[in-house]
Amino acid sequence: MERLFFTINELTARAAKEANSMSGYVAGSATSEYQNMVNRVYDTVEKIKEKKPNLAEKAQHMAERYSRKLAEYFNAYYRNEASCPSILISGAGNFPVRKKEKQNSRRETLMNDWKYLENYATKIEHLLTMEQPILSGDAQAIELLEEKLENLKEHQERMKAVNKAVKLKDTAKGDEQLKDMGYSDDQIKNFREPDFCGRIGYPSYALQNNNANIKRIESRLNSLRAAKEKGNQEAENKFCKVVENADIMRLQLFFEGKPEDKVRDILKGNGFKWSPKNGCWQRQLTANAKYALSRVIKELEKLEETA
């Protein structure tokens, strides 16, 4: 299993240490601390791959996201700590009080980021208790879709930030921003290398495609939330009982006895499948499924007329 790591700005980490401590900075210590934390998460992923192989891909993706977000946190933390020295280091004379207040305010925000990362690492551990892959009928479906949506939105903002950095006239400043995001020198070089159309950074179609995925997931989430809030619904017609099962997100048709061949062909032709477990014909509960149900009823009525 490949373990993905991002770049920690060692120069900023050293500056942060020197601004707040009399002791010297140990070269590479910031990177080592970061990689140790990421490795602990990847060790959990190894267990998930062994015990829950159906969740391996998701766990790997989450670990990579954790690795990236942790690098961003460390770089932001060191940059903030280096922004204003401790009064013990600089002395009381002409101490920049307002700058220190700004630094302390930023520390509060960074503490929230740290808590988020701790919770996210715990989420990865919790994958070990999950029994199913991600499906609309899963108990965790809404939570997992929300997480996917959050990932897509973060990726969108990250692509925008990369494009902004690579287009800065001050190349050194742009590279510094990219390093703070955790990108290596090779990755930065690739961002600055024009493609066959002369574009640098992320092309516009990448942002457009990702934005389309954001809208798709938002739509699915809204539909799923609405169905869950509505709860299970039942109705009957002269052919069968219809159940909108919000618990497992299935539109279910219950017939008395086994339908004849022509009826089964109509059901299959409209996307319904027999579920031995639930004793019914069903398909995923969506707007398309409800439209398919109306077609089934019309076709059954025509079949009845010709009988």
Side-chain angles (χ1 to χ4, degrees), residues 168-187:
L168 283 176
K169 290 183 179 180
D170 188 338
T171 304
K173 184 177 180 180
D175 287 351
E176 187 69 19
Q177 291 181 4
L178 291 169
K179 287 179 181 178
D180 284 347
M181 292 182 214
Y183 291 111
S184 66
D185 290 337
D186 287 341
Q187 289 171 317

Side-chain angles (χ1 to χ4, degrees), residues 88-107:
L88 298 176
I89 301 296
S90 66
N94 297 320
F95 185 74
V97 176
R98 290 185 179 179
K99 197 171 185 180
K100 176 59 71 173
E101 290 175 348
K102 183 178 179 181
Q103 182 189 55
N104 289 336
S105 177
R106 177 62 174 149
R107 281 172 175 165

Side-chain angles (χ1 to χ4, degrees), residues 50-165:
E50 179 182 351
K51 298 179 180 180
K52 305 285 183 181
N54 60 312
L55 296 174
E57 183 176 352
K58 176 176 176 58
Q60 179 74 18
H61 174 75
M62 290 181 71
E64 290 175 358
R65 179 169 182 259
Y66 174 82
S67 179
R68 172 172 55 79
K69 297 295 290 183
L70 185 64
E72 290 176 359
Y73 166 81
F74 271 118
N75 286 324
Y77 172 80
Y78 292 131
R79 186 167 59 251
N80 187 58
E81 291 302 298
S83 67
C84 185
S86 166
I87 192 171
L88 298 176
I89 301 296
S90 66
N94 297 320
F95 185 74
V97 176
R98 290 185 179 179
K99 197 171 185 180
K100 176 59 71 173
E101 290 175 348
K102 183 178 179 181
Q103 182 189 55
N104 289 336
S105 177
R106 177 62 174 149
R107 281 172 175 165
E108 293 180 9
T109 301
L110 288 168
M111 179 55 68
N112 291 331
D113 292 344
W114 175 255
K115 291 177 181 177
Y116 168 83
L117 286 164
E118 286 186 318
N119 290 334
Y120 197 77
T122 301
K123 278 186 178 182
I124 298 174
E125 294 177 2
H126 287 171
L127 287 178
L128 283 170
T129 65
M130 295 181 66
E131 298 297 334
Q132 303 178 52
I134 304 170
L135 300 171
S136 293
D138 286 347
Q140 305 92 351
I142 290 179
E143 178 185 349
L144 295 173
L145 282 172
E146 287 174 339
E147 181 184 316
K148 184 173 183 179
L149 179 61
E150 183 181 358
N151 289 343
L152 289 170
K153 287 183 176 180
E154 285 187 357
H155 184 49
Q156 190 79 355
E157 294 305 313
R158 189 175 183 81
M159 287 192 290
K160 290 179 182 178
V162 167
N163 285 351
K164 185 177 179 180

Side-chain angles (χ1 to χ4, degrees), residues 226-239:
K228 294 290 186 181
E229 289 174 4
K230 188 177 179 181
N232 293 351
Q233 302 289 314
E234 292 188 11
E236 289 197 21
N237 56 58
K238 60 183 178 181
F239 303 109

Side-chain angles (χ1 to χ4, degrees), residues 13-71:
R14 178 183 293 277
K17 179 73 172 180
E18 292 173 349
N20 293 277
S21 175
M22 296 291 187
S23 60
Y25 177 74
V26 178
S29 58
T31 297
S32 178
E33 181 182 3
Y34 157 73
Q35 291 185 348
N36 285 339
M37 293 181 66
V38 173
N39 275 324
R40 284 197 291 271
V41 169
Y42 274 116
D43 289 343
T44 300
V45 174
E46 294 284 2
K47 295 177 183 178
I48 292 171
K49 288 187 174 184
E50 179 182 351
K51 298 179 180 180
K52 305 285 183 181
N54 60 312
L55 296 174
E57 183 176 352
K58 176 176 176 58
Q60 179 74 18
H61 174 75
M62 290 181 71
E64 290 175 358
R65 179 169 182 259
Y66 174 82
S67 179
R68 172 172 55 79
K69 297 295 290 183
L70 185 64

